[in-house]
């Protein structure tokens, strides 16, 4: 198919499957001055360890400047891979550093997984709702996306039968984006058991697991079925997303193919960034730093909880997240969050309508609120404005 009558370019079928991120489009209209945006999914810039990064960058440039600026191994910087393996041992995962592939953000990990595992028409199972960026990463490989029934903890083990034969189940057990939900120990055990029974591999995405407020989440699914799980981690939420540093831990059977896909994609993740991050975290920096992020986000979570309780009209529901960055709100039946958004922006606040996070049977009466990028006073005001907008339509 040509892009228009006057162009010689033929688009690949996969390009036809690519769509602009609905969220990025929405963010454009919400970036008006004066609008309190609870829409963004960005970590708080106040949590970025600027001084530590500055010192580490200076150290790397003094200590190994030419190595840091040269092409490097596709697998990633050895000491950083070892750090990741040790870090995951603390979560109950037995990982050989050779299994760790450093990626350009975990978003690249999702793309590589799609490239290596999805054929046109093959089935991929996801949660309802799920991370929009994963749906976008998988779409060009033309999967048939199957939604698994979920409750407030994630996929129902008894619903996995509907995904039998799928290439994998993509799942976010910790403080899911967008729903904020977290899976209990019992649910993890049952889900893995059900997946093993039908030989359904798991792709486990865990960018938010360290951002817990009260208790550390139970061990990853990957610790329960290492040969059947690909695990994705990220430095974006515990250090800074602009570094574009994430990692994939793959069972030995998959590692070589993911590495070949990585080589073809970008040769390697910037060696300079990897060395700087390793220099920052090698001596336990995150043990002190991450608790400061948790404390900040917990206070903001509390502000949003209080504001929702104080202002939202009857018929709205939400679950209080015990970590991560998001509240997921269900509006009264019949309220369309897309149609409501321009009215909310008019009043001075913005959110992300929830429909885009569903692969099928989108719930139009849902929305996602981020509590991390604006200070508590603005959270209160933003939620009050949302409630006023809603009261106008549900009267
Ligand atoms: C669930 C989930 N997976 C992956 C990513 C991508 O993160 P990264 O910055 O590591 O590419 C995000 C980013 O928001 C996310 O929410």
């Amino acid at each position: 198919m040509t892009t228009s009558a006057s162009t010689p370019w033929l688009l690949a079928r996969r390009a036809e499957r690519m769509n602009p991120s609905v969220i990025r489009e929405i963010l454009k209209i919400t970036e008006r001055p004066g609008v309190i945006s609870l829409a963004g999914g960005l970590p708080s810039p106040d949590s970025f360890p600027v001084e530590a990064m500055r010192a580490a960058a200076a150290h790397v440039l003094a200590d190994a400047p030419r190595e840091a600026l040269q092409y490097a191994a596709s697998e990633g910087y050895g000491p950083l891979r070892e750090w990741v393996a040790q870090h995951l041992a603390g979560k109950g995962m037995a990982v050989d550093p050779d299994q760790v592939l450093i990626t350009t953000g975990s978003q690249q990990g999702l793309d590589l997984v799609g490239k290596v595992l999805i054929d046109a028409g093959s089935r991929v199972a996801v949660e309802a709702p799920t991370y929009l960026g994963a749906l976008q990463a998988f779409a060009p490989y033309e999967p048939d996306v199957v939604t698994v029934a979920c409750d407030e903890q994630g996929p129902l083990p008894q619903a996995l039968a509907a995904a039998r034969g799928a290439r994998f189940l993509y799942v976010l057990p910790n403080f899911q984006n967008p729903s904020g939900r977290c899976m209990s120990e019992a649910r993890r055990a049952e889900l893995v058991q059900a997946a093993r029974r039908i030989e359904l591999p798991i792709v486990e995405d865990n960018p938010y697991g360290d951002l817990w407020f009260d208790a550390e989440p139970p061990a990853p699914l990957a610790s329960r079925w290492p040969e059947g799980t690909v695990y994705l981690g990220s430095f974006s939420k515990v250090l800074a997303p602009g570094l574009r540093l994430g990692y994939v831990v793959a069972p030995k059977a998959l590692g070589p193919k993911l590495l070949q896909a990585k080589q073809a994609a970008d040769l390697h993740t910037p060696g300079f960034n990897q060395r700087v991050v390793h220099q920052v975290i090698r001596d336990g920096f995150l043990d002190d730093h991450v608790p400061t992020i948790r404390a900040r986000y917990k206070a903001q979570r509390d502000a949003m909880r209080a504001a929702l309780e104080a202002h939202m009209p009857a018929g709205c529901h939400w679950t209080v997240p015990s970590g991560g960055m998001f509240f997921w709100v269900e509006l009264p039946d019949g309220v369309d969050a897309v149609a409501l958004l321009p009215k909310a922006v008019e009043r001075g606040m913005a959110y992300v309508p929830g429909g885009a996070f569903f692969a099928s049977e989108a719930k139009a009466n849902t929305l996602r609120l981020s509590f991390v990028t604006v200070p508590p006073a603005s959270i209160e005001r933003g939620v009050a404005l949302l409630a006023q907008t809603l009261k106008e339509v549900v009267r």
Side-chain angles (χ1 to χ4, degrees), residues 36-48 175 177 180 207-208 211-213 236-238 241 292-305 321-327 350 368-380 383:
I36 298 172
S37 180
L38 305 176
L42 311 183
S44 168
D46 295 336
S47 73
F48 301 159
F175 321 125
N177 178 6
Y208 302 103
L211 304 181
W212 47 268
F213 302 149
S236 291
K237 311 298 190 299
V238 292
T292 65
I293 306 177
R294 285 184 201 132
R296 174 189 294 276
Y297 287 5
K298 184 179 178 177
Q300 301 197 183
R301 186 275 316 258
D302 289 344
M304 186 167 276
R305 171 169 56 184
S322 54
M325 299 179 14
F326 307 110
F327 269 86
R368 190 192 74 179
L369 299 174
S370 162
F371 49 84
V372 305
T373 21
V374 303
S378 304
I379 290 176
E380 153 83 26
V383 170

Side-chain angles (χ1 to χ4, degrees), residues 127-131 171-182 208 326:
E127 298 174 83
T130 189
Y131 169 51
V171 63
L172 297 109
N174 297 327
F175 321 125
Q176 201 225 31
N177 178 6
S179 69
R181 67 193 172 203
C182 188
Y208 302 103
F326 307 110

Side-chain angles (χ1 to χ4, degrees), residues 308-389:
L308 286 165
E309 281 167 7
H311 299 292
M312 292 296 269
C316 298
H317 302 283
W318 57 89
T319 326
V320 179
S322 54
M325 299 179 14
F326 307 110
F327 269 86
W328 179 250
V329 180
E330 287 203 26
L331 305 175
D333 281 342
V335 179
D336 181 340
V338 172
L340 193 72
L341 182 62
K343 297 187 175 78
V345 171
E346 205 49 47
R347 281 193 184 261
M349 76 77 64
Y351 58 81
V352 180
F357 297 98
F358 293 85
S360 57
E361 294 177 41
K363 284 192 178 175
N365 64 330
T366 55
L367 58 87
R368 190 192 74 179
L369 299 174
S370 162
F371 49 84
V372 305
T373 21
V374 303
S378 304
I379 290 176
E380 153 83 26
R381 174 102 189 106
V383 170
L385 292 172
L386 169 62
Q388 283 171 21
T389 315

